[in-house]
Amino acid sequence: MSGAKLVRKIVIQSKLKTQSPLRIGSGANEGLTDILILKDKQGQPFIPGTSLAGVLRSEIAAIYGEVAADKLFGSINGRNANQSMLNISDVVLTSKGIVVRDGVAIDELTGVAKTGAKFDFEALERGAAGNVLLELTVRECDEAKPLAISYQHSVYNVNGDCYGEMAATIADLLTGGISVGSLTTKGYGKIAGAEAVAVYDFDFAQAKSAEQWLAYISDEKLPQAAYTGKAEAAKAAENFYLEVGCALQGALLVRDFDVDDSQQNKEEATLSAVQLKSGEDYVIPGTSWKGVLRSRAFKILLALTGNDLQVAQHKLQEIFGFANDGDKQSGKRSKLLVDETYISTNKLSAMRQTRNRIDRFTGSTIDSALFCEEPVWQQKRDEKTVTLKACLKNCSKAEAGLMLLLLKDLWLGNMNIGSGRGVGRGVLRGVHCQIDYAGKTYTMENKNGFTLTGNKDELEACVQALVGELNG
C-alpha cells in the first residue's frame, strides 16, 4: 500500500497508580452486591485499554480538536475512516483490596431516600498500581500530511512535529492524572503516574534510532527518554474551579456499617456504624458531596424561582445531569466534578455514642432499640481539616452564581455532610477558599475576620446573572 511504510515509533511508558477508588464494572452481580469490579481470568482487576483510549481521546479532542483526535485514535467516518495510530495496553493492577460501597437515591423535593433505590457496588481501593504502555505508529503517509494544530510544547513547534507534540501531551495528562471508569464526576477512578511518564522516540530514518528500536523489541532495553511528562495543568477559563478548606464544628459520621467484630465491646451496646475509611484515612465520598450539593442547589433554585418546580429542576439537571428515566428522554452527564475528601486519622478522634430510639407518639424509649455509633471529631478547633475540590465544566456566568451561593451555605455552616443532620452532625465552617474562573483567581480567608482577595463586584455579578436568568 502506498504510504504505508513505517517511519517512526513513539512509545509512552510508566506505572499508573489509583488516587481514588476505581469502579469499572464487569456487568455481573453476585449475592447482595449489584456491580462487581472487572477482573481478568487470573482474578486480577484491570483497566481496559479501551477505557484509557476513550478518556485520552476526549482530552486530545478538547486540546487539539476533533480532526486531531480522529487521526490519533481512529475514525469510522465513511470513506474518511482511518485506523488508530495508537496501541494502548490494558493496565493489570496489583490490588490494594476491594471495598463495597453503598449508595441510595435521594428525592430532591423531600430530601429522603427513594423507596427501592438502595444499591451496593464493588470498587478497587486506592493505591493499586500497574504498568501502562502506549505505542504510536507513524507511517510515511502520516508524515506527508502533518496536522495543523496549536502547539503546547515549544520544543515540538520548532519543526512542526505534531505527533511528538500530542505524545508529550498524553504524557502530561497521565502525569497530572485522568479519571476512568464510572462515577468519575463523583471522585472515583482517578489515576496518575506513580513514576515518571517517559516518551521514547524511534525515528527509523536514523540508523542509531532504528538499532535502538530493535534492541527495545528484543529485550525491552530503552534509550534515554525524549520527553518526561509534567503535572502542571492549566486551568481552562471556561471552567469554574473551587477549593474550599473547612473546619469541622462537631461530629462527623459518613456511615460504614461493616463493623469489625474486634471493635465490639461486650459491655456496651452493639456498635452499628463507624466513620467510613479509605485505606488508613477517613473519607467523605464524592457521592456524599454530590448529593449534598445537589440537594442544596435545588433548594436555592426553588427559592430564587418562587417555588417554580419545573424551572428549578430544569436548571438543576443542566448542571448535575440526570439518569435515563426509561422514557424517550436519554440521560445527561453531570458537568460538576467533585473529588473524594481524605482526612488523616491523626486530625480526627473517634468517640462512641450510645443512643436510644424514641417513640414519637408516646415520647418514651422503644424497648430493645438501644444502638451505638462511632462518629469522629476534629482535634484542633478552627483548623482546616475537610477540603472540598470541585470543578464545573463550561460554566456560564449564571452557573458560577449558583456555585457561589453553594459556597456561601457551606462556608457559613448551613450545609451538613454525612448522617445525623437532625442531631447536629456534619456541620462545617469555611477557613480558606480559592476560586478560579474566567481567567481570574479569588481567595477567601476566615482567620481573625473575613478577608476577600479579588473583585467582589465580579462575584456579585455572577449571582445577579443567575437571578436574571431564572426570572426571565
Side-chain angles (χ1 to χ4, degrees), residues 33-65:
T33 303
D34 296 296
I35 302 174
L36 299 180
I37 198 75
L38 185 64
K39 304 182 185 74
D40 63 16
K41 290 183 178 180
Q42 285 71 44
Q44 287 289 107
F46 72 100
I47 302 171
T50 50
S51 295
L52 288 174
V55 175
L56 291 172
R57 188 198 187 285
S58 177
E59 295 288 347
I60 290 295
I63 298 170
Y64 299 109

Side-chain angles (χ1 to χ4, degrees), residues 350-371:
M351 185 180 298
R352 298 191 179 188
Q353 286 185 328
T354 301
R355 300 167 59 200
N356 206 325
R357 292 185 175 89
I358 301 297
D359 188 308
R360 296 182 181 179
F361 182 71
T362 65
S364 59
T365 59
I366 300 175
D367 291 340
S368 303
L370 187 69
F371 65 99

Side-chain angles (χ1 to χ4, degrees), residues 231-259:
E232 298 85 4
K235 293 183 176 178
E238 66 270 17
N239 296 342
F240 184 100
Y241 300 91
L242 174 66
E243 182 174 338
V244 53
C246 300
L248 186 61
Q249 299 299 288
L252 170 69
L253 182 63
V254 179
R255 286 193 176 104
D256 182 3
F257 295 101
D258 187 15
V259 182

Side-chain angles (χ1 to χ4, degrees), residues 161-172:
D161 182 4
C162 59
Y163 303 115
E165 163 71 20
M166 290 191 288
T169 296
I170 289 174
D172 289 346

Side-chain angles (χ1 to χ4, degrees), residues 364-438:
S364 59
T365 59
I366 300 175
D367 291 340
S368 303
L370 187 69
F371 65 99
C372 183
E373 297 173 325
E374 192 174 82
V376 293
W377 278 262
Q378 184 168 317
Q379 291 186 2
K380 294 182 179 180
R381 184 177 177 84
D382 298 328
E383 181 184 43
K384 184 176 72 173
T385 302
V386 177
T387 299
L388 167 64
K389 292 183 180 180
C391 171
L392 182 56
K393 291 195 168 183
N394 299 316
C395 179
S396 69
K397 196 171 183 178
E399 290 169 342
L402 180 58
M403 292 297 293
L404 290 169
L405 293 177
L406 287 170
L407 169 62
K408 184 194 74 170
D409 281 352
L410 178 63
W411 189 270
L412 296 177
N414 296 325
M415 193 188 304
N416 301 61
I417 188 77
S419 66
R421 177 175 58 183
V423 294
R425 288 178 181 161
V427 179
L428 303 170
R429 285 277 184 174
V431 176
H432 178 270
C433 172
Q434 178 172 316
I435 299 166
D436 292 280
Y437 179 59

Side-chain angles (χ1 to χ4, degrees), residues 6 30 49 57 70 128 165 193 208 282 336 338 349 355 369 418 433:
L6 294 178
E30 181 180 291
R57 188 198 187 285
D70 285 345
E165 163 71 20
K208 182 179 179 180
Y282 292 118
L336 180 63
V338 298
S349 297
R355 300 167 59 200
C433 172

Side-chain angles (χ1 to χ4, degrees), residues 174-193:
L174 293 177
T175 302
I178 58 175
S179 296
V180 297
S182 59
L183 295 183
T184 54
T185 65
K186 299 177 182 178
Y188 283 73
K190 281 188 167 296
I191 59 172

